[in-house]
Amino acid sequence: MQKSSTALIKEVSLLLASFPPHLKLKVYLRVADQEKDPLFWNTWAQRTLKNALTLQKLNQNTAKNLILFLGDGMGIPTVTAARILKGQLSRQSGEETQLEMDNFPYVALSKTYNTNAQVADSAGTATAFLCGVKANEGTVGVSAAAVRSQCNTTQGNEVTSILRWAKEAGKSVGIVTTTRVNHATPSAAYAHCVNRDWYSDGEMPAEAVEAGCKDIARQLFENIPNIDVIMGGGRKYMFPKNQSDVEYPGEKKHFGTRIDRRNLVEEWNNRMKNKNANYVWNKKELLSLNPNSVDYLLGLFEPGDLPYDLERNNETDPSLTEMVEVAIKILKKNPSGFYLLVEGGRIDHGHHDGKAKQALHEAVEMDRAIGHAGLMTSIYDTMTVVTADHSHMFNFGGYTPRGNTIFGLAPILSDVDQKPFTAILYGNGPGFKVVNGLRENVSTLDYEENNYKAQSAVPLSMETHGGEDVAVFAKGPMAHLLHGVHEQNYIPHVMAYAACIGQNRDHCMSSSGASSLSAALPSLTALLTLIRLLC
């Protein structure tokens, strides 16, 4: 039986990976002869065309479940580089690999600017893709009428999120993140705050506290009662100032930060004690739970953000995929369905640090979680959207040959300073370094080390966001409504429409009414027939 082209490519890639580095390029070029044959590409394209033609029958079901995967800082160059890395981790060339999100049938572009910023931040963008309203940078869950750090502009300018809309519609709701649960992205799902950095009252100016503004951690437990699943980091913001941490009792930087002396975890436990609720702070406790007997879960696995996936302790720290699995198992018990926000938040942090390897491994792990969620749900009743809040000043190039390690050198020297350079570069950031008045020679460094900071054109202590559009991948009911180029705040409106929640219910009422009448007609006919016979 003749092998498929995909199977052949995988075999070739596995064989290639076993060759010494100096032979790899020559071997790859020799064994890729099939790609020189037009039939190879024509066959592949025709197969793709047949799959595309099946999409003519649109999935217009009502979405019982909604899942939003948000790759913080996952611009299109990051998606492409993560795809190559995913393939290379499986000992393939990488370029031909498919991410889970690549298999989603509908793709759009999202315009990420904030109302007062050409290049956005994560708070204003989160308000857009969760609340359906564009906002100012640095603010969460408030409209553009609210001004950053001005407490008195909060009241009257609050906007609600799709997580609240889902909860009010009777669905279970959850938040899973690799950052603090009160970080910019997740906080827009429940908080209304004019400063994204007001994690606890310990980070707030006294005048804001006195004026009645609430910190974000407090709002997590007070604004939307009984969020079903909350998982991530941010433990220290829940405990009284100077209270030692359960995992790092001797490290002051991890001590509690709350000036009001409240213990928000203890308060949550007391409030939920009769509701099949569990608080966990490590992987062992999380995975020992029986999701069938858990209705509410609070998991705070670190005082701050969770560690990078490359640095994660497999014994104590859950992966994003593991958290997503537990979340879905708990949430899907609700016959009315669920809404789940999942953030791969440390993609962004890796890029800010100029640590491309950390960022890309975070993206690959999020893609693994996307695939796992797909196995646990159905495209017939679950709408899944994958997108980013913004991009970064990250890119890769330099005419690298096919199969070149994504973290490797370009095949040429600079024709200006005659020094090598890595394919991955940043437009700005901490990787800028001059040695004796000249650009540093990267060949003297371990540029594939986990925390290597890729070279940047402009020196900054922290690399910045990028301003270009980001991709939106969608599958499931009404996914076809995400197409073309959209404002970022369009996303939750589409998801709400698909699930018949929030302000988008009229089409559901009419269609359900029609379907109910249609279903009732046979019974009505039978009843009329019986009456005629009896008469």
Side-chain angles (χ1 to χ4, degrees):
M1 182 175 169
Q2 191 174 8
K3 293 180 181 177
S4 70
S5 57
T6 304
L8 189 56
I9 286 175
K10 285 185 177 179
E11 283 191 18
V12 167
S13 299
L14 287 170
L15 180 64
L16 173 62
S18 66
F19 277 78
H22 68 283
L23 291 179
K24 282 187 179 178
L25 178 57
K26 290 182 181 178
V27 173
Y28 188 85
L29 293 176
R30 277 172 47 198
V31 298
D33 284 347
Q34 61 175 335
E35 295 187 4
K36 299 175 184 176
D37 186 349
L39 181 63
F40 171 81
W41 299 107
N42 287 331
T43 302
W44 193 344
Q46 286 296 312
R47 186 167 61 249
T48 304
L49 176 60
K50 287 181 181 178
N51 290 336
L53 289 170
T54 65
L55 299 177
Q56 291 183 106
K57 186 176 181 181
L58 301 177
N59 181 348
Q60 299 189 63
N61 299 338
T62 298
K64 176 182 177 183
N65 310 312
L66 299 170
I67 305 177
L68 175 63
F69 281 93
L70 192 285
D72 199 313
M74 191 181 69
I76 292 175
T78 298
V79 172
T80 307
R83 178 188 303 129
I84 294 172
L85 174 59
K86 178 183 178 181
Q88 292 181 349
L89 290 172
S90 299
R91 303 180 70 187
Q92 298 173 27
S93 169
E95 299 85 359
E96 71 290 337
T97 302
Q98 284 194 310
L99 293 167
E100 295 293 338
M101 63 188 93
D102 290 341
N103 294 314
F104 284 29
Y106 300 98
V107 182
L109 290 176
S110 168
K111 297 160 69 176
T112 64
Y113 66 92
N114 297 147
T115 47
N116 65 340
Q118 187 177 76
V119 179
D121 94 311
S122 296
T125 52
T127 303
F129 62 74
L130 290 173
C131 303
V133 173
K134 287 233 174 192
N136 293 328
E137 58 87 28
T139 65
V140 293
V142 289
S143 72
V147 181
R148 184 169 188 172
S149 299
Q150 293 188 19
C151 175
N152 64 355
T153 64
T154 307
Q155 192 171 2
N157 294 318
E158 300 92 342
V159 291
T160 58
S161 76
I162 187 171
L163 184 138
R164 179 183 281 275
W165 309 339
K167 189 70 174 175
E168 291 176 346
K171 296 184 183 295
S172 294
V173 296
I175 296 169
V176 174
T177 179
T178 53
T179 67
R180 289 151 278 182
V181 294
N182 50 348
H183 206 252
T185 296
S187 66
Y190 57 83
H192 312 289
C193 193
V194 291
N195 192 320
R196 57 174 286 180
D197 298 326
W198 291 354
Y199 300 120
S200 75
D201 62 344
E203 288 75 37
M204 294 177 65
E207 57 269 23
V209 176
E210 291 166 4
C213 277
K214 295 181 181 180
D215 64 86
I216 297 171
R218 180 180 167 190
Q219 293 189 57
L220 171 61
F221 299 103
E222 295 182 357
N223 284 8
I224 302 177
N226 304 339
I227 294 175
D228 302 80
V229 173
I230 304 167
M231 280 191 275
R235 203 162 52 218
K236 67 181 179 180
Y237 305 107
M238 316 299 169
F239 292 95
K241 189 173 179 63
N242 293 327
Q243 178 171 321
S244 62
D245 183 71
V246 64
E247 188 174 7
Y248 311 100
E251 299 185 37
K252 289 188 176 181
K253 67 179 181 179
H254 296 315
F255 284 6
T257 64
R258 300 201 63 81
I259 295 173
D260 61 11
R261 308 300 300 167
R262 289 176 64 177
N263 184 326
L264 298 181
V265 171
E266 184 177 62
E267 291 178 15
W268 183 88
N269 274 323
N270 291 337
R271 191 172 75 247
M272 309 295 284
K273 60 184 176 183
N274 297 320
K275 295 187 176 181
N276 296 324
N278 289 82
Y279 166 67
V280 297
W281 63 267
N282 60 55
K283 177 178 175 176
K284 183 178 179 181
E285 290 183 346
L286 175 68
L287 298 187
S288 67
L289 295 174
N290 177 1
N292 291 324
S293 60
V294 177
D295 294 328
Y296 299 95
L297 174 62
L298 173 62
L300 300 174
F301 303 107
E302 287 290 329
D305 301 316
L306 272 58
Y308 286 121
D309 198 60
L310 280 176
E311 299 172 355
R312 184 169 57 85
N313 184 324
N314 287 321
E315 298 297 317
T316 60
D317 300 320
S319 68
L320 183 61
T321 301
E322 288 166 338
M323 291 192 290
V324 166
E325 178 177 352
V326 174
I328 292 177
K329 284 181 177 178
I330 293 172
L331 297 173
K332 72 188 300 186
K333 294 184 299 179
N334 186 338
S336 296
F338 65 84
Y339 173 86
L340 176 61
L341 168 65
V342 182
E343 183 196 22
R346 303 222 63 196
I347 300 169
D348 177 73
H349 296 173
H351 282 322
H352 277 309
D353 290 341
K355 299 175 180 178
K357 190 167 186 177
Q358 298 284 11
L360 296 184
H361 275 269
E362 292 294 308
V364 170
E365 170 57 22
M366 192 181 85
D367 193 66
R368 191 164 75 96
I370 293 167
H372 201 66
L375 295 175
M376 299 179 70
T377 56
S378 166
I379 59 169
Y380 297 104
D381 68 358
T382 302
M383 182 187 204
T384 304
V385 176
V386 180
T387 189
D389 46 359
H390 53 74
S391 185
H392 272 271
M393 296 294 288
F394 161 89
N395 221 315
F396 69 100
Y399 303 113
T400 47
R402 181 79 175 272
N404 197 74
T405 170
I406 191 62
F407 304 114
L409 296 176
I412 57 176
L413 300 179
S414 165
D415 59 2
V416 176
D417 65 10
Q418 284 72 52
K419 289 182 179 179
F421 59 96
T422 54
I424 286 176
L425 296 168
Y426 285 93
N428 59 46
F432 180 94
K433 191 172 182 182
V434 172
V435 178
N436 296 324
L438 299 171
R439 182 172 66 91
E440 186 174 36
N441 189 337
V442 296
S443 65
T444 64
L445 306 171
D446 183 1
Y447 47 78
E448 294 200 47
E449 192 266 328
N450 290 354
N451 290 304
Y452 169 73
K453 295 182 179 181
Q455 290 187 328
S456 63
V458 176
L460 288 176
S461 59
M462 213 176 175
E463 178 264 3
T464 72
H465 296 168
E468 74 271 24
D469 298 349
V470 297
V472 185
F473 305 86
K475 69 175 181 178
M478 298 294 177
H480 57 278
L481 298 179
L482 285 162
H483 63 95
V485 181
H486 299 292
E487 296 289 352
Q488 193 168 45
N489 66 295
Y490 173 68
I491 294 171
H493 290 270
V494 171
M495 297 184 76
Y497 184 92
C500 299
I501 61 176
Q503 62 182 294
N504 294 107
R505 298 184 185 182
D506 291 347
H507 66 290
C508 310
M509 302 280 283
S510 58
S511 63
S512 63
S515 61
S516 297
L517 180 61
S518 175
L521 281 176
S523 300
L524 186 60
T525 302
L527 179 61
L528 290 171
T529 302
L530 179 62
I531 291 172
R532 282 165 55 192
L533 288 172
L534 290 174
C535 293

